[in-house]
Amino acid sequence: MHTKTSSHDIERRLTNFLPSEALEDHADAVGVVERDRKLQIPPLVWSFAFGFAGGASRTL
């Protein structure tokens, strides 16, 4: 039987799947960040991932 998953549980699963440290390390390795400023890579990645989940109508 399927149980309802809470938003906290979903967040925990996603952040375990792609931890912030791994995202930051990868961003440094590929040269996404040239200067260490206010931009935080993990929230940017999650914004893109969930922002474009709405369908084909979303573009950059």
Side-chain angles (χ1 to χ4, degrees):
M1 178 178 245
H2 182 69
T3 60
K4 186 175 179 181
T5 305
S6 70
S7 61
H8 179 70
D9 190 40
I10 293 170
E11 177 185 358
R12 183 183 53 79
R13 289 180 187 194
L14 288 172
T15 54
N16 284 338
F17 177 69
L18 284 174
S20 294
E21 296 82 21
L23 292 173
E24 291 168 355
D25 291 345
H26 185 68
D28 287 338
V30 297
V32 172
V33 179
E34 293 181 11
R35 295 180 288 174
D36 192 16
R37 295 262 187 153
K38 293 181 181 181
L39 177 68
Q40 296 177 349
I41 296 298
L44 179 67
V45 170
W46 293 120
S47 295
F48 278 126
F50 289 112
F52 289 99
S57 64
R58 301 285 176 110
T59 63
L60 289 174

